[in-house]
Amino acid sequence: MNLFYLEEVESTNKYAKENIKDLADKTVVYTSNQTAGRGRLERKWSYLGENNIYASIVLKPSKEMKEVYSNLTQYLCLILSETFEEYGVKPRIKWPNDIQINGKKISGILAEGCIASNSLEGLVLGFGVNLNCEEKLLKEINQPATALNIETGMEIDKEKFLKTLLDKFCLMYDRFIEEGFLLIKEDYIKRAGFLNKEVTVRVFDKTITGIAKDITDNGALKLVDKDENGHVLLIGDIL
Ligand code: BTN
């Protein structure tokens, strides 16, 4: 992978999208100072200091959109989980791609596509990881959040974490694009913290509440609501 470091930027996703034409496939744009980070559901992603990860992977797998590309966030989510596990912690995935440790968010992913005149210019997989942060700062976030230094009791080497993560990402990437979600389904489900629990999912401006029953072969969430109606959700966020 090509690493592209920016001393300061509003948002690595925004930068990658604006410069997509000039960025090669498998370039990682990252910064130590993200001044206006963005999250899913129109949320912002807080800046927690320079020893945390703010990065976006630029991918250009083909000119046409394929269904499997929408599962890339789940692929990255699994790779992030496996990287956390190397530090002896137990990450849990919240469908489709949030990661929690002990019920608190430690990482988030924001995927965006760049499409121009019906052709896919590239995909931008943005991710933030809380690696080193004071508890006081985390309390200011509007949802329970944690950081790897708090969970392990030791300072985390940011460059080492990023290298492990990107090496793992590359290892199975080509196969994942070929074979799709099924390749990782079992490993993803092993880490799913939401199955057989009641969840509320936001899909655009609607919410659906029900018991999360399963994940399908293409990564969708199967829900059964209180009236016993089944739902298969390809997009959305567990709240
Ligand atoms: C979420 O959980 O809501 C997704 C958060 C994604 C944050 C990362 S930080 C690097 C990249 N640049 C952004 O502006 N957002 C993503």
Side-chain angles (χ1 to χ4, degrees), residues 116-170:
S117 40
N118 272 337
S119 157
L120 180 66
E121 291 190 310
L123 300 160
V124 176
L125 277 187
F127 59 98
V129 189
N130 302 343
L131 284 187
N132 296 288
C133 188
E134 282 176 39
E135 232 158 340
K136 197 173 75 187
L137 260 187
L138 290 166
K139 292 228 165 73
E140 289 168 18
I141 298 178
N142 56 4
Q143 59 177 314
T146 189
L148 197 52
N149 66 318
I150 290 169
E151 298 300 326
T152 59
M154 60 186 192
E155 201 180 311
I156 308 297
D157 181 332
K158 180 171 84 166
E159 302 302 327
K160 188 170 161 223
F161 185 97
L162 192 60
K163 187 181 178 326
T164 308
L165 173 75
L166 298 178
D167 285 350
K168 280 181 187 288
F169 185 91
C170 287

Side-chain angles (χ1 to χ4, degrees), residues 89-106:
V89 294
K90 199 172 164 205
R92 282 286 156 262
I93 296 174
K94 199 169 119 185
W95 184 85
N97 53 43
D98 267 3
I99 302 177
Q100 296 184 328
I101 294 181
N102 292 323
K104 296 175 187 170
K105 183 155 167 167
I106 191 159

Side-chain angles (χ1 to χ4, degrees), residues 192-237:
F194 52 85
L195 287 178
N196 300 313
K197 291 188 181 147
E198 186 177 88
V199 295
T200 296
V201 182
R202 178 163 149 193
V203 186
F204 299 115
D205 52 357
K206 263 180 39 185
T207 56
I208 304 173
T209 298
I211 305 292
K213 290 286 184 192
D214 203 3
I215 297 292
T216 66
D217 288 355
N218 58 351
L221 175 65
K222 273 191 181 174
L223 263 192
V224 175
D225 68 21
K226 63 177 181 354
D227 301 318
E228 296 293 315
N229 294 314
H231 304 262
V232 179
L233 306 175
L234 265 168
I235 46 169
D237 288 90

Side-chain angles (χ1 to χ4, degrees), residues 11-13 34 36-40 45 54-56 98 105 108-110 126-128:
S11 147
T12 55
N13 264 40
Q34 182 167 259
R38 299 183 306 190
R40 286 161 71 93
W45 185 257
Y54 315 91
S56 301
D98 267 3
K105 183 155 167 167
I109 298 171
L110 175 68
F127 59 98

